[in-house]
Amino acid sequence: MKLLTSTVTALLLVAGLNGCGSDNDDTSALPAENYDAKSAGIISAKTLAHYIEDWESNRPANVTGRLVIFQAGDTSDHKFLKHDDKNVFVYQIPEGGACDPSYMRHDGIANIPGALLDGPHVDGMINMFGIDPEKDYVVFAVGKGATTMREVVRSWWVLHYWGWSSERLAFLNGSVTYDFSADASLASYLVDSPTPPLDPANYTHYSMKSVNNLRSDLQVYIAEMMQIASANDQSGYFIADARGTEEYTGEKYSRTADLNCGPNHDEQCYSPMQGHIRGAVDLPYTDLLIMDDQTQDITGDGVVDQNDASFKFRSPAELADIFAQKGYKEGDEIVTYCRTGRKATVTAIAAYAALNYPVRMYDGSWIQWGEMADRVDVNGTQIVPADSHLNLNQPQYTVVTHYVDPEYTQSAAPYQIDLDAESSEKIKEEDEAYIAQ
């Protein structure tokens, strides 16, 4: 239970829901230039204020439960969205959202750092906050900051993966500071403190098992990703690398969470190979966001710079143009990845919630893929033998642009690579078994 409590609290809400695919419940027409007409998915500050004002009268059709808002951090002036703790609840969660690289799950072949939460963790989270998976409407809202949103989207993703209806799941476009604090007409929707946390003695006993709608097919694991990458004909797939151009090309090395490399084992470690998955398109997650509309010091650091931009999703029309320019064709299945799954979740939600494109996520991302190489790590250990079926530094799997010197190469030990494994769907099997209990 210690892992459950610490992970859920630190991560908060958990790691991110997987919400992509053709099972999108929100079938309303998509607005061309903004999200004001969206009742779920990506919603505007105007819509959220409308809900907060009178939830019982204004809640979306078919929603019978409460409005539960998870605000990641406070605003620049230390405010929170308004709540009555009867119909509307606002819980504060860490600004890091679901970013917890210490949490690992083994997919059968290797560990995935910062993986999607398992069933007990998710159930622990919904019980911690007393949210009903069959009735309540959940919104994730970023208090302030640029990087926070790419972490918190993981919370949205994980709930949807575990079956939370997309009609009752939303993400505030932008941040509370940017819209509510900066807009005089919305400032009245802010208060000094969030809803008090529940007393553990009063935790409820909800479970995603009651929903029984696990979307396990929305995740891609490494064995299937190898098949997609090595296929002679990749038509029908659109592999999106969300990290950023410099990491895509290998100009900027993809780092790991460890600082035990270098001659004294106290420096930054990096993935042994740099480059990108074969067939992947360079589609930085920042291309999908508004990064240049800063007008005031949103972060409160005394400087007005790009960190003070709204980081709102671009309009559905703009997003469709971006995907098309990168080569996306109607009907293609998007498979997205980044370094640790956070930036890729931004891409996934943009494609799914704004455009209703079919999307799956390779959750292992480069932190796992880039480790599977015929290289020696910082401890002098051979990571993957050259003749192994898991050796991915081969042209049928990876466009390798650089290798990292062994002295700065991430240790293979935390990944617990099973060189004899053929299947990487252990997580899927575990999650399906949990729901079926």
Side-chain angles (χ1 to χ4, degrees), residues 23-98:
D23 62 343
N24 188 342
D25 303 325
D26 186 2
T27 57
S28 60
L30 293 170
E33 299 301 333
N34 61 57
Y35 295 90
D36 286 346
K38 293 282 287 181
S39 61
I42 302 171
I43 63 172
S44 68
K46 177 181 177 181
T47 296
L48 183 54
H50 183 64
Y51 289 162
I52 293 172
E53 180 66 29
D54 188 346
W55 174 244
E56 289 192 297
S57 299
N58 299 334
R59 61 190 174 190
N62 302 320
V63 176
T64 60
R66 306 163 305 157
L67 170 61
V68 181
I69 302 169
F70 292 103
Q71 182 174 321
D74 55 8
T75 65
S76 294
D77 52 358
H78 310 297
K79 300 292 185 180
F80 298 88
L81 290 165
K82 186 169 68 173
H83 50 93
D84 60 16
D85 297 343
K86 177 182 178 183
N87 296 309
V88 179
F89 297 76
V90 176
Y91 292 106
Q92 180 181 10
I93 62 175
E95 292 184 356

Side-chain angles (χ1 to χ4, degrees), residues 14 38 50 83 89 182 190 193 207 213-214 229 238 263-264 266 305 335 388 427 436:
V14 166
K38 293 282 287 181
H50 183 64
H83 50 93
F89 297 76
L190 297 177
S193 60
S207 175
N213 189 32
L214 180 73
F238 181 85
N264 298 317
D266 58 358
D305 56 19
V335 180
S388 172
I427 292 174

Side-chain angles (χ1 to χ4, degrees), residues 106-112 219-230 273 277 335 360-373 384 389-392 397-398 415 417-418 421-427:
H106 201 282
D107 65 11
I109 287 180
N111 273 322
I112 298 176
Q219 295 295 95
V220 175
Y221 297 101
I222 192 168
E224 184 179 3
M225 194 68 237
M226 290 168 62
Q227 294 175 358
I228 295 171
S230 62
M273 61 178 173
I277 294 175
V335 180
R360 303 174 73 196
M361 181 179 301
Y362 168 44
D363 210 38
S365 284
W366 195 261
I367 196 74
Q368 182 190 56
W369 188 275
E371 187 71 15
M372 312 295 285
V384 177
H389 71 288
L390 297 177
N391 176 17
L392 300 187
Y397 298 121
T398 309
Y415 292 87
I417 300 170
D418 184 350
E422 296 288 342
S423 172
S424 63
E425 296 202 338
K426 180 181 177 182
I427 292 174

